[in-house]
Amino acid sequence: AAPVVAALRAAGHDQVLVHTGQHYDERMSHIFFRELGLPTPDTDLGVGSGSQARQTADLLVALEGELLARAP
């Protein structure tokens, strides 16, 4: 995502960065944002841990709410 975010920023496009929140500790999340120069996410869906099915379901429900609220 870092190259896409950078290219959109350079072209002057508005964007919203949504973090799934499935990886939430320093070693699996924050370090990548920092090292790749990604901005702080506008939204963290807070999916958290769980089975693959549970994470996918939680992600889809949270993302639907985000898309409905922002109406991109």
Side-chain angles (χ1 to χ4, degrees):
V4 174
V5 169
L8 289 171
R9 184 185 310 132
H13 293 288
D14 291 333
Q15 56 187 311
V16 174
L17 184 60
V18 178
H19 181 23
T20 63
Q22 77 184 73
H23 300 296
Y24 44 83
D25 71 9
E26 175 65 24
R27 294 171 295 157
M28 291 297 293
S29 179
H30 305 295
I31 193 169
F32 293 107
F33 284 91
R34 188 172 53 252
E35 289 188 1
L36 295 173
L38 286 163
T40 301
D42 297 290
T43 300
D44 185 337
L45 300 178
V47 170
S49 61
S51 70
Q52 186 176 19
R54 177 83 269 155
Q55 284 184 316
T56 301
D58 290 348
L59 167 64
L60 290 173
V61 169
L63 187 57
E64 177 186 41
E66 185 69 21
L67 293 173
L68 288 171
R70 292 188 183 271

